[in-house]
Structures are given as structure tokens and as C-alpha cells.
Coordinates of all heavy atoms in Angstrom, one line a residue:
M1 N 21.8 38.9 20.3 CA 21.4 39.7 21.5 C 20.4 40.8 21.0 O 20.6 41.4 20.0 CB 22.6 40.3 22.2 CG 22.2 41.2 23.3 SD 23.7 41.9 24.1 CE 23.3 41.5 25.8
T2 N 19.4 41.0 21.8 CA 18.4 42.1 21.5 C 18.9 43.4 22.1 O 19.4 43.5 23.2 CB 17.1 41.7 22.2 OG1 16.6 40.5 21.7 CG2 16.0 42.8 22.0
A3 N 18.8 44.4 21.3 CA 19.2 45.8 21.7 C 18.1 46.4 22.6 O 16.9 46.3 22.2 CB 19.4 46.7 20.5
R4 N 18.4 46.9 23.7 CA 17.5 47.6 24.6 C 18.0 48.9 25.0 O 19.1 49.1 25.4 CB 17.3 46.7 25.9 CG 16.6 45.4 25.6 CD 16.6 44.6 26.9 NE 16.1 43.3 26.6 CZ 15.0 42.8 27.0 NH1 14.2 43.5 27.7 NH2 14.6 41.6 26.6
Y5 N 17.1 49.9 25.0 CA 17.4 51.3 25.4 C 16.3 51.7 26.3 O 15.1 51.6 26.0 CB 17.4 52.2 24.1 CG 17.6 53.6 24.5 CD1 18.8 54.2 24.5 CD2 16.5 54.5 24.7 CE1 19.0 55.6 24.8 CE2 16.6 55.8 25.0 CZ 17.9 56.3 25.0 OH 18.0 57.7 25.3
R6 N 16.6 52.1 27.5 CA 15.7 52.6 28.5 C 16.1 53.9 29.1 O 17.3 54.1 29.5 CB 15.5 51.6 29.6 CG 14.9 50.3 29.2 CD 14.7 49.4 30.5 NE 14.2 48.1 30.1 CZ 15.0 47.0 30.1 NH1 16.2 47.1 30.6 NH2 14.5 45.9 29.7
A7 N 15.2 54.8 29.2 CA 15.4 56.1 29.9 C 14.3 56.4 30.8 O 13.1 56.3 30.5 CB 15.5 57.2 28.8
T8 N 14.7 56.6 32.1 CA 13.7 56.9 33.1 C 14.1 58.1 33.9 O 15.2 58.2 34.4 CB 13.6 55.7 34.1 OG1 13.3 54.5 33.3 CG2 12.5 55.8 35.1
F9 N 13.2 59.0 34.1 CA 13.5 60.3 34.8 C 12.4 60.6 35.7 O 11.2 60.3 35.5 CB 13.7 61.4 33.8 CG 14.8 61.3 32.9 CD1 14.6 60.7 31.6 CD2 16.1 61.6 33.3 CE1 15.7 60.5 30.8 CE2 17.2 61.5 32.4 CZ 17.0 60.9 31.2
S10 N 12.7 61.3 36.8 CA 11.7 61.9 37.7 C 12.2 63.2 38.2 O 13.3 63.6 38.1 CB 11.5 60.9 38.9 OG 12.7 60.8 39.6
Q11 N 11.2 64.0 38.7 CA 11.5 65.4 39.1 C 11.0 65.5 40.5 O 9.9 65.2 40.9 CB 10.8 66.4 38.2 CG 11.2 67.8 38.6 CD 10.6 68.9 37.7 OE1 9.9 68.5 36.8 NE2 10.8 70.1 38.0
R12 N 11.9 66.1 41.4 CA 11.6 66.4 42.8 C 12.0 67.8 43.0 O 13.2 68.1 43.0 CB 12.3 65.4 43.7 CG 11.7 65.4 45.1 CD 12.4 64.4 46.0 NE 11.9 63.1 45.6 CZ 12.4 61.9 46.0 NH1 13.5 61.9 46.7 NH2 11.9 60.8 45.6
G13 N 11.0 68.7 43.1 CA 11.3 70.1 43.2 C 11.9 70.6 41.9 O 11.3 70.4 40.8
D14 N 13.1 71.2 41.9 CA 13.7 71.7 40.7 C 14.8 70.7 40.2 O 15.4 70.9 39.2 CB 14.4 73.0 41.0 CG 13.5 74.1 41.2 OD1 12.3 74.0 40.7 OD2 13.9 75.2 41.8
E15 N 14.9 69.6 40.9 CA 15.9 68.6 40.6 C 15.4 67.5 39.7 O 14.3 66.9 40.0 CB 16.5 67.9 41.8 CG 17.3 68.9 42.7 CD 18.5 69.5 42.0 OE1 19.2 68.8 41.4 OE2 18.7 70.8 42.2
I16 N 16.1 67.1 38.6 CA 15.7 66.0 37.8 C 16.8 64.9 38.0 O 18.0 65.1 38.0 CB 15.7 66.4 36.3 CG1 14.6 67.5 36.1 CG2 15.5 65.2 35.4 CD1 14.6 68.0 34.7
A17 N 16.3 63.7 38.2 CA 17.2 62.5 38.4 C 16.7 61.5 37.4 O 15.5 61.4 37.1 CB 17.1 62.0 39.8
G18 N 17.6 60.6 37.0 CA 17.2 59.6 36.1 C 18.4 58.7 35.7 O 19.5 58.8 36.2
T19 N 18.0 57.7 34.9 CA 19.0 56.7 34.4 C 18.7 56.5 32.9 O 17.6 56.6 32.5 CB 18.9 55.4 35.2 OG1 17.6 54.8 35.0 CG2 19.2 55.5 36.6
I20 N 19.8 56.2 32.3 CA 19.7 55.8 30.9 C 20.6 54.5 30.8 O 21.7 54.5 31.2 CB 20.3 56.9 29.9 CG1 19.5 58.2 30.1 CG2 20.3 56.4 28.5 CD1 20.1 59.3 29.3
N21 N 19.9 53.5 30.3 CA 20.6 52.2 30.1 C 20.5 51.7 28.7 O 19.4 51.8 28.1 CB 20.0 51.2 31.1 CG 20.3 51.5 32.5 OD1 21.4 51.7 32.9 ND2 19.2 51.6 33.3
W22 N 21.5 51.2 28.1 CA 21.4 50.6 26.8 C 22.3 49.3 26.9 O 23.4 49.3 27.4 CB 21.7 51.5 25.6 CG 23.1 52.1 25.6 CD1 24.3 51.5 25.3 CD2 23.4 53.4 26.0 NE1 25.3 52.4 25.4 CE2 24.8 53.6 25.8 CE3 22.7 54.5 26.3 CZ2 25.5 54.8 26.0 CZ3 23.4 55.7 26.6 CH2 24.7 55.8 26.4
E23 N 21.7 48.3 26.4 CA 22.3 47.0 26.4 C 22.4 46.5 24.9 O 21.3 46.4 24.3 CB 21.6 46.0 27.2 CG 21.5 46.3 28.7 CD 20.5 45.4 29.4 OE1 20.3 44.3 29.0 OE2 20.0 45.9 30.5
G24 N 23.5 46.1 24.4 CA 23.6 45.6 23.1 C 23.3 46.6 22.0 O 22.9 46.2 20.9
C25 N 23.4 47.9 22.3 CA 23.1 48.9 21.3 C 24.3 49.5 20.7 O 25.3 49.7 21.3 CB 22.3 50.1 22.0 SG 20.8 49.6 22.8
D26 N 24.2 49.8 19.4 CA 25.3 50.6 18.7 C 24.9 52.0 18.6 O 23.7 52.4 19.0 CB 25.6 50.0 17.4 CG 24.5 50.0 16.4 OD1 23.5 50.7 16.6 OD2 24.6 49.4 15.3
G27 N 25.7 52.9 18.2 CA 25.5 54.3 18.1 C 24.3 54.7 17.3 O 23.5 55.5 17.6
A28 N 24.1 54.0 16.2 CA 23.0 54.2 15.3 C 21.7 53.9 15.9 O 20.7 54.7 15.8 CB 23.1 53.4 14.0
F29 N 21.6 52.8 16.7 CA 20.4 52.5 17.4 C 20.0 53.5 18.5 O 18.9 53.9 18.6 CB 20.5 51.1 18.0 CG 19.3 50.6 18.8 CD1 18.2 50.2 18.1 CD2 19.2 50.7 20.1 CE1 17.0 49.7 18.7 CE2 18.1 50.3 20.8 CZ 17.0 49.8 20.1
V30 N 21.0 54.0 19.2 CA 20.8 55.0 20.2 C 20.3 56.3 19.6 O 19.4 56.9 20.1 CB 22.1 55.2 21.1 CG1 21.9 56.4 22.0 CG2 22.4 54.0 21.9
L31 N 20.9 56.7 18.5 CA 20.5 57.9 17.8 C 19.0 57.7 17.3 O 18.2 58.7 17.4 CB 21.4 58.2 16.6 CG 21.2 59.5 15.9 CD1 21.4 60.6 16.8 CD2 22.1 59.6 14.7
E32 N 18.7 56.6 16.8 CA 17.3 56.3 16.4 C 16.3 56.4 17.6 O 15.2 56.9 17.4 CB 17.2 55.0 15.7 CG 15.8 54.7 15.1 CD 15.4 55.7 14.0 OE1 16.2 56.3 13.3 OE2 14.1 55.8 13.8
C33 N 16.7 55.9 18.7 CA 15.9 56.0 19.9 C 15.7 57.5 20.3 O 14.6 57.9 20.7 CB 16.5 55.2 21.1 SG 16.6 53.5 20.9
L34 N 16.7 58.3 20.2 CA 16.6 59.7 20.5 C 15.7 60.4 19.5 O 14.8 61.2 19.9 CB 18.0 60.4 20.5 CG 18.9 59.9 21.7 CD1 20.3 60.5 21.4 CD2 18.4 60.3 23.0
H35 N 15.8 60.0 18.3 CA 14.9 60.5 17.2 C 13.4 60.2 17.6 O 12.5 61.1 17.5 CB 15.2 59.9 15.9 CG 14.1 60.0 14.9 ND1 13.2 59.0 14.6 CD2 13.8 61.1 14.1 CE1 12.4 59.5 13.7 NE2 12.7 60.7 13.3
E36 N 13.1 59.0 18.0 CA 11.8 58.6 18.4 C 11.3 59.4 19.6 O 10.1 59.8 19.6 CB 11.7 57.1 18.7 CG 11.9 56.2 17.5 CD 10.8 56.3 16.5 OE1 9.7 56.6 16.9 OE2 11.2 56.2 15.3
Q37 N 12.2 59.7 20.5 CA 11.8 60.5 21.7 C 11.4 61.9 21.2 O 10.4 62.5 21.7 CB 12.9 60.5 22.7 CG 13.0 59.2 23.5 CD 14.1 59.3 24.5 OE1 15.3 59.0 24.2 NE2 13.8 59.7 25.7
V38 N 12.2 62.5 20.4 CA 11.9 63.9 19.9 C 10.6 63.9 19.1 O 9.8 64.8 19.4 CB 13.1 64.4 18.9 CG1 12.7 65.6 18.2 CG2 14.3 64.6 19.8
V39 N 10.3 62.9 18.3 CA 9.1 62.9 17.5 C 7.9 62.7 18.5 O 6.9 63.4 18.4 CB 9.1 61.7 16.5 CG1 7.7 61.5 15.9 CG2 10.1 62.0 15.4
Y40 N 8.1 61.9 19.5 CA 7.0 61.7 20.5 C 6.7 63.0 21.3 O 5.6 63.4 21.4 CB 7.4 60.6 21.5 CG 6.4 60.3 22.5 CD1 5.2 59.5 22.3 CD2 6.5 60.9 23.8 CE1 4.3 59.3 23.3 CE2 5.6 60.6 24.8 CZ 4.5 59.9 24.5 OH 3.5 59.7 25.5
L41 N 7.8 63.6 21.7 CA 7.6 64.9 22.4 C 6.9 66.0 21.6 O 6.1 66.7 22.0 CB 9.0 65.4 22.9 CG 9.6 64.7 24.1 CD1 11.0 65.1 24.3 CD2 8.8 64.8 25.3
A42 N 7.3 66.0 20.3 CA 6.7 67.0 19.4 C 5.2 66.7 19.2 O 4.4 67.6 19.3 CB 7.4 66.9 18.1
K43 N 4.9 65.5 19.1 CA 3.4 65.1 18.9 C 2.7 65.5 20.2 O 1.6 66.0 20.1 CB 3.3 63.6 18.6 CG 3.6 63.3 17.2 CD 3.4 61.8 16.9 CE 3.9 61.5 15.5 NZ 3.7 60.0 15.2
Q44 N 3.2 65.2 21.3 CA 2.5 65.5 22.6 C 2.3 67.0 22.8 O 1.3 67.4 23.3 CB 3.3 64.9 23.8 CG 3.4 63.4 23.8 CD 2.0 62.7 23.9 OE1 1.2 63.1 24.8 NE2 1.7 61.8 23.0
G45 N 3.2 67.8 22.3 CA 3.1 69.2 22.4 C 2.6 69.9 21.2 O 2.6 71.1 21.1
N46 N 2.2 69.1 20.2 CA 1.7 69.7 19.0 C 2.7 70.6 18.4 O 2.3 71.8 18.0 CB 0.3 70.3 19.2 CG -0.5 70.5 17.9 OD1 -0.3 69.8 16.9 ND2 -1.3 71.5 17.8
L47 N 3.9 70.2 18.3 CA 5.0 71.0 17.8 C 5.7 70.3 16.6 O 5.6 69.1 16.4 CB 6.1 71.2 18.9 CG 5.6 71.8 20.2 CD1 6.7 71.7 21.2 CD2 5.3 73.3 20.0
D48 N 6.4 71.1 15.9 CA 7.3 70.6 14.8 C 8.5 70.0 15.5 O 9.1 70.6 16.3 CB 7.7 71.8 13.9 CG 8.6 71.4 12.8 OD1 9.0 70.2 12.6 OD2 8.9 72.3 12.0
P49 N 8.9 68.7 15.1 CA 10.1 68.1 15.7 C 11.3 69.0 15.6 O 12.2 69.0 16.5 CB 10.2 66.8 14.9 CG 8.9 66.5 14.4 CD 8.2 67.8 14.2
A50 N 11.4 69.8 14.5 CA 12.6 70.7 14.4 C 12.6 71.7 15.5 O 13.7 72.1 15.9 CB 12.6 71.3 13.0
E51 N 11.5 72.2 15.9 CA 11.4 73.1 17.0 C 11.9 72.5 18.3 O 12.6 73.1 19.1 CB 10.0 73.6 17.2 CG 9.8 74.7 18.2 CD 8.4 75.3 18.3 OE1 7.6 75.0 17.4 OE2 8.1 76.0 19.2
V52 N 11.6 71.2 18.5 CA 12.0 70.5 19.7 C 13.6 70.4 19.7 O 14.3 70.6 20.7 CB 11.4 69.1 19.8 CG1 12.0 68.3 21.0 CG2 9.9 69.3 20.0
V53 N 14.1 70.1 18.5 CA 15.5 69.9 18.3 C 16.2 71.3 18.6 O 17.3 71.3 19.2 CB 15.9 69.3 17.0 CG1 17.4 69.4 16.7 CG2 15.4 67.9 16.9
R54 N 15.7 72.3 18.0 CA 16.3 73.7 18.2 C 16.3 74.0 19.7 O 17.3 74.5 20.2 CB 15.5 74.7 17.4 CG 15.8 74.8 16.0 CD 15.3 76.0 15.3 NE 13.8 76.1 15.4 CZ 13.0 75.5 14.5 NH1 13.4 74.8 13.5 NH2 11.7 75.6 14.7
D55 N 15.2 73.8 20.4 CA 15.2 74.0 21.9 C 16.2 73.2 22.6 O 16.9 73.6 23.5 CB 13.8 73.8 22.4 CG 12.8 74.9 22.0 OD1 13.2 75.9 21.4 OD2 11.6 74.6 22.1
L56 N 16.3 71.9 22.3 CA 17.2 71.0 22.9 C 18.6 71.5 22.7 O 19.5 71.5 23.6 CB 17.0 69.6 22.4 CG 17.9 68.5 23.0 CD1 17.7 68.4 24.5 CD2 17.6 67.2 22.3
Y57 N 18.9 71.9 21.4 CA 20.3 72.4 21.1 C 20.6 73.6 21.9 O 21.7 73.7 22.5 CB 20.3 72.7 19.6 CG 21.7 73.2 19.2 CD1 22.8 72.3 19.0 CD2 22.0 74.5 19.0 CE1 24.0 72.7 18.6 CE2 23.2 75.0 18.6 CZ 24.2 74.1 18.4 OH 25.5 74.5 18.1
A58 N 19.6 74.5 22.1 CA 19.9 75.7 23.0 C 20.2 75.3 24.4 O 21.1 75.9 25.0 CB 18.7 76.6 22.9
V59 N 19.5 74.3 24.9 CA 19.8 73.8 26.3 C 21.1 73.2 26.4 O 21.9 73.5 27.3 CB 18.6 72.9 26.8 CG1 19.0 72.2 28.1 CG2 17.3 73.6 26.9
V60 N 21.4 72.3 25.4 CA 22.7 71.6 25.5 C 23.9 72.5 25.3 O 24.9 72.3 26.0 CB 22.7 70.5 24.4 CG1 24.1 69.9 24.2 CG2 21.7 69.4 24.7
T61 N 23.8 73.5 24.5 CA 24.9 74.5 24.3 C 24.9 75.6 25.4 O 25.8 76.5 25.3 CB 24.8 75.1 22.9 OG1 23.6 75.8 22.7 CG2 25.0 74.0 21.8
G62 N 24.0 75.5 26.3 CA 24.0 76.5 27.4 C 23.4 77.9 27.1 O 23.6 78.8 27.8
R63 N 22.7 77.9 26.0 CA 22.0 79.2 25.6 C 20.8 79.4 26.4 O 20.3 80.5 26.5 CB 21.8 79.2 24.1 CG 23.1 79.2 23.3 CD 22.8 79.4 21.9 NE 24.1 79.5 21.2 CZ 24.4 78.7 20.2 NH1 23.6 77.8 19.7 NH2 25.6 78.9 19.6
V64 N 20.2 78.3 26.9 CA 19.0 78.3 27.8 C 19.4 77.5 29.0 O 19.9 76.4 28.9 CB 17.8 77.7 27.1 CG1 16.6 77.7 28.0 CG2 17.5 78.5 25.8
K65 N 19.0 78.1 30.2 CA 19.3 77.3 31.4 C 18.1 77.1 32.2 O 17.1 77.7 32.1 CB 20.3 78.1 32.2 CG 21.7 78.2 31.5 CD 22.7 78.9 32.4 CE 24.0 79.0 31.6 NZ 25.0 79.5 32.3

């Protein structure tokens, strides 16, 4: 079976809605997919990937809302 990971999001006003689907994926594959997303976001924003991770950590832990 082929592993597939898809994440789709949209924003309407201040609300974000989306779906995340993974089929045939193990935890390591999902983590690698998240890694690829962080690297992509960093490149798009001309940022260090570690800065993206720090910001994401602040949001996840409720330090930034």
C-alpha cells in the first residue's frame, strides 16, 4: 500500500477550516511530512526552519493566540 498524507485548509474571515487525511502512514512518515511542510514554509518566508518551529511551538502551547 502507498502511504498518502494530505492536508487542505481554507480561511473564511477569522476562521480556519480544513482536513488532514493519511492513509497507510506510520508515525515516522507523518513526522517527515510535517518536516517537509516546515521547510517549505520557511523557504517561502525566507526564514530559518528553526524559527518556524519556535513560532509553531508557541502557538501549540498557547503562548501565542
Side-chain angles (χ1 to χ4, degrees):
M1 175 180 232
T2 300
R4 293 176 188 247
Y5 174 93
R6 292 187 187 107
T8 305
F9 297 93
S10 61
Q11 182 177 1
R12 196 174 284 167
D14 289 339
E15 297 295 317
I16 297 174
T19 59
I20 300 172
N21 295 302
W22 58 77
E23 300 170 22
C25 300
D26 61 13
F29 180 78
V30 172
L31 188 60
E32 184 64 25
C33 291
L34 294 173
H35 165 262
E36 292 296 325
Q37 288 179 270
V38 166
V39 170
Y40 178 81
L41 289 170
K43 285 181 183 176
Q44 293 300 307
N46 198 28
L47 301 167
D48 179 359
E51 187 175 345
V52 174
V53 171
R54 282 191 299 272
D55 289 346
L56 180 59
Y57 181 77
V59 172
V60 169
T61 59
R63 295 186 176 124
V64 175
K65 295 182 183 188

